[in-house]
């Protein structure tokens, strides 16, 4: 069953990357087989939810949208209790507000996307202590074929997350050694905007310091200070619990960058083996700072710049097979 769900997830991801929606795939195969073609408004909404719901790494968006399109009115705390019981999670109102931000398009950062998906702003309305579907969105759902496409996305997300029910999660829903994109991390940490484009090296989100590391950055001559114009940072596991990390070049121990790094209440490490693996990172767990040493490194103009050699201690030893895989 799990293998089947993984296959479905991979299929969905490939379809969305190429066609953005399953509807567009069907249209490309045989447009005449589609009984009632979607209009531009319906297709725009479907495209957005295909991205947000089908690829979601948590069930709360799917469950929220599921109840909105089928029940029209939701009691927020009842919904949270149902989700936490069903998936063995610890979601609270912060998570629900984050899910609302995703469903209504407020998570979007660029003005171009905001203009494109402006209709989403009125999908869900706040009425006293309840959440209700808007009349505009209710009218769109009268196209039963459109509603079926939305329901399919919801069902895929729900089944995918049910398969992870018994895996150990932290309070934000992260699972050790699962793969997450930068956008996933933004959403899981209840960040109000999609800051994925700025999340390189280190980023603090809601008091969570996150480090993103590409383990094997490029092929180059041993000892080369620069590979493809970028610093050859010495980021690697020394053993199953010790990770050596370099700060961004130009940032010494007293820099604003390092103060942001050290001030996070929880610190998380995300690693991918190489750029060839795509955009997703393995979640390696939380860590504490063992030591910070200020030193220098030449930039690509040969000028010495401050940098920090940082020793991290993982709070949980890295699994042997994952450790060996990264070292290869």
């Amino acid at each position: 069953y799990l293998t089947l769900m993984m296959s479905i997830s991979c299929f969905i991801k490939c379809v969305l990357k190429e066609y953005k929606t399953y509807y567009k795939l069907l249209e490309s195969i045989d447009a005449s087989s589609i009984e009632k073609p979607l209009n531009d408004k319906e297709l725009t909404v479907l495209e957005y939810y295909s991205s947000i719901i089908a690829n979601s790494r948590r069930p709360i968006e799917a469950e929220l949208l599921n109840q909105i399109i089928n029940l029209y009115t939701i009691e927020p705390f009842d919904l949270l209790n149902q989700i936490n019981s069903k998936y063995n999670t610890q979601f609270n109102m912060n998570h629900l507000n984050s899910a609302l931000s995703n469903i209504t398009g407020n998570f979007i950062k660029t003005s171009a996307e905001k203009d494109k998906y402006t209709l989403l702003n009125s999908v869900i309305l706040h009425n006293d202590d309840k959440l209700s579907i808007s009349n505009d969105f209710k009218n769109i759902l009268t196209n039963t074929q459109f509603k079926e496409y939305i329901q399919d996305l919801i069902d895929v997300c729900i089944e995918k997350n049910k398969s992870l029910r018994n895996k150990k999660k932290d309070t934000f829903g992260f699972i050790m050694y699962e793969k997450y994109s930068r956008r996933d991390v933004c959403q899981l940490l209840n960040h109000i905007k999609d800051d994925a484009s700025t999340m390189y090296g280190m980023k603090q989100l809601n008091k969570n310091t996150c480090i993103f590391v590409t383990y094997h950055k490029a092929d180059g001559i041993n000892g080369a200070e620069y590979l493809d114009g970028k610093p050859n940072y010495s980021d690697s596991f020394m053993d199953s619990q010790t990770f050596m990390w370099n700060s961004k070049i130009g940032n010494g121990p007293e820099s604003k960058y390092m103060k942001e790094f050290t001030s996070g209440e929880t610190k998380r490490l995300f690693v991918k083996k190489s750029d060839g693996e795509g955009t997703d990172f393995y979640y390696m767990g939380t860590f504490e700072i063992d030591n910070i040493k200020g030193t220098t490194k030449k930039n690509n103009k040969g000028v010495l710049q401050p940098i920090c050699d940082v020793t991290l201690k993982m709070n949980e030893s890295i699994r042997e097979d994952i450790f060996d895989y990264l070292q290869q």
Side-chain angles (χ1 to χ4, degrees):
Y1 173 77
L2 182 56
T3 302
L4 174 62
M5 286 311 302
M6 289 174 65
S7 299
I8 292 173
S9 296
C10 290
F11 173 74
I12 290 293
K13 196 165 189 176
C14 290
V15 167
L16 297 185
K17 183 177 180 180
E18 183 69 24
Y19 297 97
K20 294 189 177 178
T21 67
Y22 182 58
Y23 170 84
K24 278 293 185 181
L25 171 64
L26 296 178
E27 188 180 55
S28 70
I29 296 172
D30 183 8
S32 64
S33 67
I34 299 175
E35 295 179 10
K36 187 177 179 181
L38 301 185
N39 60 37
D40 290 343
K41 183 185 291 187
E42 292 162 344
L43 189 55
T44 298
V45 174
L46 182 62
E47 180 183 306
Y48 178 78
Y49 285 144
S50 293
S51 171
I52 291 294
I53 301 298
N55 286 323
S56 180
R57 302 310 307 272
R58 62 183 184 184
I60 191 166
E61 278 85 1
E63 293 285 358
L64 171 58
L65 190 58
N66 190 43
Q67 292 209 14
I68 278 292
I69 69 173
N70 290 295
L71 301 179
Y72 297 165
T73 301
I74 297 173
E75 295 277 359
F77 287 104
D78 288 347
L79 175 63
L80 283 172
N81 289 335
Q82 291 171 28
I83 294 172
N84 287 334
S85 175
K86 184 175 180 179
Y87 298 96
N88 190 29
T89 50
Q90 303 173 56
F91 293 134
N92 56 36
M93 283 303 298
N94 289 330
H95 298 94
L96 184 59
N97 287 331
S98 172
L100 278 168
S101 178
N102 287 321
I103 296 297
T104 57
N106 289 315
F107 182 70
I108 296 169
K109 189 171 184 180
T110 67
S111 57
E113 282 187 305
K114 284 184 177 296
D115 290 341
K116 181 176 182 179
Y117 299 118
T118 184
L119 170 68
L120 298 165
N121 297 156
S122 60
V123 166
I124 299 176
L125 305 176
H126 289 262
N127 293 320
D128 298 324
D129 294 330
K130 298 181 180 180
L131 300 172
S132 301
I133 192 170
S134 69
N135 287 330
D136 285 345
F137 197 57
K138 190 186 296 186
N139 288 335
I140 297 175
L141 292 172
T142 58
N143 180 347
T144 55
Q145 186 140 28
F146 168 75
K147 184 177 179 179
E148 285 176 8
Y149 287 125
I150 298 293
Q151 190 67 59
D152 286 344
L153 293 172
I154 291 168
D155 292 344
V156 166
C157 181
I158 287 174
E159 287 302 318
K160 182 174 67 175
N161 278 279
K162 280 168 63 177
S163 70
L164 302 175
R165 183 183 184 279
N166 293 322
K167 289 195 174 184
K168 183 181 177 182
K169 311 172 189 69
D170 67 14
T171 54
F172 286 97
F174 286 105
I175 299 172
M176 289 283 284
Y177 314 122
E178 288 290 317
K179 296 184 80 172
Y180 302 93
S181 69
R182 293 179 176 92
R183 187 177 186 181
D184 293 333
V185 175
C186 268
Q187 291 178 330
L188 287 170
L189 291 176
N190 300 328
H191 197 52
I192 58 174
K193 296 293 179 185
D194 180 7
D195 273 336
S197 62
T198 68
M199 292 165 59
Y200 289 86
M202 186 277 297
K203 183 77 173 180
Q204 190 182 127
L205 303 169
N206 291 343
K207 300 182 180 179
N208 286 261
T209 294
C210 299
I211 296 179
F212 297 88
V213 172
T214 302
Y215 209 79
H216 299 290
K217 295 173 180 62
D219 293 326
I221 301 170
N222 289 336
E225 291 184 327
Y226 271 76
L227 304 174
D228 295 333
K230 299 176 182 179
N232 186 15
Y233 295 117
S234 304
D235 302 330
S236 61
F237 279 104
M238 306 308 292
D239 54 50
S240 63
Q241 205 166 2
T242 307
F243 190 82
M244 301 302 297
W245 177 71
N246 281 159
S247 69
K248 184 179 179 181
I249 194 167
N251 294 277
E254 300 303 317
S255 65
K256 179 181 177 182
Y257 178 92
M258 287 304 295
K259 287 178 180 178
E260 181 181 357
F261 164 69
T262 57
S263 64
E265 293 179 1
T266 303
K267 301 172 179 66
R268 303 173 184 275
L269 177 63
F270 299 85
V271 175
K272 64 178 176 178
K273 186 172 182 178
S274 68
D275 286 330
E277 287 193 334
T279 59
D280 293 354
F281 294 76
Y282 292 100
Y283 176 54
M284 310 303 286
T286 60
F287 64 85
E288 305 298 332
I289 300 170
D290 186 58
N291 185 54
I292 297 176
K293 177 186 176 183
T295 182
T296 57
K297 191 178 187 69
K298 290 180 181 179
N299 64 17
N300 57 1
K301 294 181 180 179
V303 178
L304 283 173
Q305 294 286 306
I307 196 171
C308 292
D309 289 335
V310 185
T311 306
L312 313 178
K313 284 295 183 181
M314 306 305 298
N315 289 321
E316 184 175 330
S317 294
I318 302 306
R319 210 171 67 195
E320 185 177 358
D321 59 325
I322 299 292
F323 179 81
D324 291 342
Y325 169 72
L326 291 172
Q327 301 298 88
Q328 295 171 1

